Amino acid sequence: MLDPSKMDEVLRRGEAVSAAVDAWKTLDAQRRRLQGELDGLRQQRNTANEKMAKLDKKGPDFAAARDEMKALSTKIKTDETELTKVEADWEQALLGLPNAPHTSVPAGSDESSNPVLHTWGHKPTFAFQPKAHWEIGEQLGILDFEAGAKITGARFTVLRGAASRLTRGLINYMLDLHVQAGYDEIWPPAVVRRASLRGTGQLPKFEQDLFKLAIPTGPDHVADNDLFLSPTAEVQVTNLYADHIFEAGELPRRYCAYSACFRAEAGAHGKDTRGLIRQHQFDKVELVKFVPPESSYGELEALRQDAERVLQGLGLHYRVVTLCTGDLSFASAKTYDLEVWLPGQDTYREISSCSNFEDFQARRAKIRYRAQTGEKPRPCHTLNGSGIAVGRTIVAILEQYQQADGSVLVPAALRPYLGGLERITK
């Protein structure tokens, strides 16, 4: 949840948020006015009560004082009811506001304004016209788009043979790499509650992009029927510590987790519909950190480097961009995107986002810490990054390691995870 003290800073995101900010400010003014009136009325009631205590109950002034007290009590109840409604609207409006960008985030309206931080490696060169991954995968018999559509529908894919083994190998490779770097591994459930999604910022704004479950309730069924398939393990791992206070010295905490992810992609009709780039179900290894505010931007740089290490180990050419104010996600204060080169499509595509949410998620999920023993708890900072998206990594391997005969070389770092397989052939 946005810190109200940053209300003017969020306007750096552009005109799209200005109306929402104005609406919240109007509610905030009403809330403050009502609260002030109530404080005054309660003080008047206290004074009237003290006055009545000194009056003779049978005297002429007592009845007038009693009527004044009744009128004050009625007015207070009316204002309390109105304040409760305004506060609910105030909080709902605040939940709909995005995070404020960090001062280092460049201004811009969309991805065309994202500056390149650096690139790694070189674009592979080919003595032939490189193919897109969907063509490579279908010719090798390892990507079965028709079977996925037959079983479930559009944007679901069956991975066969080497693609299935690549998925298993990549998940293990990524998790091993992150555990070696000091992350604690967890294996979370794939189903999450509404409160968990609200805590990380997916709800209430992005409900149309989620898969909601319809589960019967009753003694033989799950009691909570407000459940969703998780869109990212960020939700589960961050909510490990919802309503929690870290004691002094317990931060930072760093976690890695694999999870299947599910997104309806309601706003992406007609975009990236071919291949594995934008699937409704995909696999991802996620990195999540809980840190003190003073170290969170140093931790963001380290998080980005940990995600980059995956691509470097696989020998995949990529670049890093800093997202501008107009391209930031709803909850992020600052984000780096890792974009891998896809020669078959002659473009870079995002394969990982590494973000610092500052206290935005912690305020929503009530994740706090004590800087010193005995101090009042305050929100910590949370960060997360893809470490990395498995399907898009398969895309990059197929396109960057494709050979003239239609086969695909397996990156050396992955071969131990695939039983020594060096080349994928039909």
Side-chain angles (χ1 to χ4, degrees), residues 114-191:
N114 296 340
V116 176
L117 183 68
H118 65 252
T119 61
W120 186 90
H122 301 282
K123 292 180 180 179
T125 57
F126 304 90
F128 57 93
Q129 181 64 41
K131 299 175 181 177
H133 70 278
W134 55 81
E135 187 176 358
I136 299 168
E138 286 182 321
Q139 289 177 352
L140 289 173
I142 61 175
L143 299 182
D144 194 336
F145 301 108
E146 287 188 8
K150 176 182 178 181
I151 296 167
T152 311
R155 298 196 191 183
F156 290 90
T157 303
V158 172
L159 305 183
R160 296 181 179 273
S164 178
R165 295 179 67 190
L166 268 177
T167 298
R168 275 194 296 127
L170 281 166
I171 293 168
N172 288 331
Y173 166 71
M174 293 172 189
L175 289 173
D176 285 349
L177 205 60
H178 298 315
V179 168
Q180 291 166 13
Y183 289 83
D184 291 330
E185 181 183 347
I186 68 166
W187 194 286
V191 176

Side-chain angles (χ1 to χ4, degrees), residues 13 99 102 105 200 234 238 286-291 296-297 299-305 307 321 323 327-338 350 352-358 361 381-387:
R13 285 179 175 263
N99 202 355
H102 187 259
V105 173
T200 46
E234 166 198 343
T238 302
E286 200 74 11
L287 306 174
V288 174
K289 295 184 179 185
F290 305 86
V291 305
S296 68
Y297 278 94
E299 291 282 358
L300 176 61
E301 299 303 317
L303 178 71
R304 172 181 56 77
Q305 291 165 9
V321 300
L323 298 196
D327 201 29
L328 275 181
S329 70
F330 178 79
S332 177
K334 183 173 183 177
T335 295
Y336 294 114
D337 269 6
L338 278 58
E350 175 209 332
S352 170
S353 283
C354 298
S355 302
N356 186 351
F357 304 109
E358 296 186 358
Q361 293 179 329
H381 281 193
T382 62
L383 302 89
N384 96 276
S386 306

Side-chain angles (χ1 to χ4, degrees), residues 129-353:
Q129 181 64 41
K131 299 175 181 177
H133 70 278
W134 55 81
E135 187 176 358
I136 299 168
E138 286 182 321
Q139 289 177 352
L140 289 173
I142 61 175
L143 299 182
D144 194 336
F145 301 108
E146 287 188 8
K150 176 182 178 181
I151 296 167
T152 311
R155 298 196 191 183
F156 290 90
T157 303
V158 172
L159 305 183
R160 296 181 179 273
S164 178
R165 295 179 67 190
L166 268 177
T167 298
R168 275 194 296 127
L170 281 166
I171 293 168
N172 288 331
Y173 166 71
M174 293 172 189
L175 289 173
D176 285 349
L177 205 60
H178 298 315
V179 168
Q180 291 166 13
Y183 289 83
D184 291 330
E185 181 183 347
I186 68 166
W187 194 286
V191 176
V192 294
R193 291 178 171 177
R194 177 177 292 274
S196 298
L197 290 158
R198 186 168 57 245
T200 46
Q202 280 81 13
L203 291 178
K205 189 173 179 64
F206 302 108
E207 185 158 353
Q208 64 173 354
D209 289 324
L210 302 172
F211 282 101
K212 190 177 189 304
L213 301 181
I215 302 176
T217 57
D220 298 325
H221 300 285
V222 177
D224 188 344
N225 196 32
D226 209 8
L227 299 172
F228 299 79
L229 292 176
S230 172
T232 166
E234 166 198 343
V235 177
Q236 298 96 303
V237 181
T238 302
N239 280 280
L240 281 174
Y241 292 104
D243 295 305
H244 179 80
I245 298 174
F246 291 105
E247 295 301 331
E250 289 187 332
L251 296 181
R253 294 285 184 91
R254 305 177 181 93
Y255 295 93
C256 62
Y258 158 74
S259 178
C261 306
F262 303 86
R263 295 182 189 174
E265 300 283 6
H269 295 301
K271 183 178 180 182
D272 300 329
T273 55
R274 295 197 70 181
L276 298 178
I277 291 295
R278 198 177 295 274
Q279 295 275 283
H280 290 312
Q281 176 183 337
F282 58 97
D283 299 287
K284 187 154 60 84
V285 171
E286 200 74 11
L287 306 174
V288 174
K289 295 184 179 185
F290 305 86
V291 305
E294 62 270 15
S295 63
S296 68
Y297 278 94
E299 291 282 358
L300 176 61
E301 299 303 317
L303 178 71
R304 172 181 56 77
Q305 291 165 9
D306 289 334
E308 287 188 58
R309 197 171 295 116
V310 176
L311 297 175
Q312 292 170 4
L314 297 172
L316 294 171
H317 169 61
Y318 68 92
R319 69 182 184 184
V320 179
V321 300
T322 305
L323 298 196
C324 68
T325 52
D327 201 29
L328 275 181
S329 70
F330 178 79
S332 177
K334 183 173 183 177
T335 295
Y336 294 114
D337 269 6
L338 278 58
E339 298 181 341
V340 72
W341 174 246
L342 301 181
Q345 300 168 59
D346 193 33
T347 191
Y348 288 97
R349 284 297 176 92
E350 175 209 332
I351 197 168
S352 170
S353 283

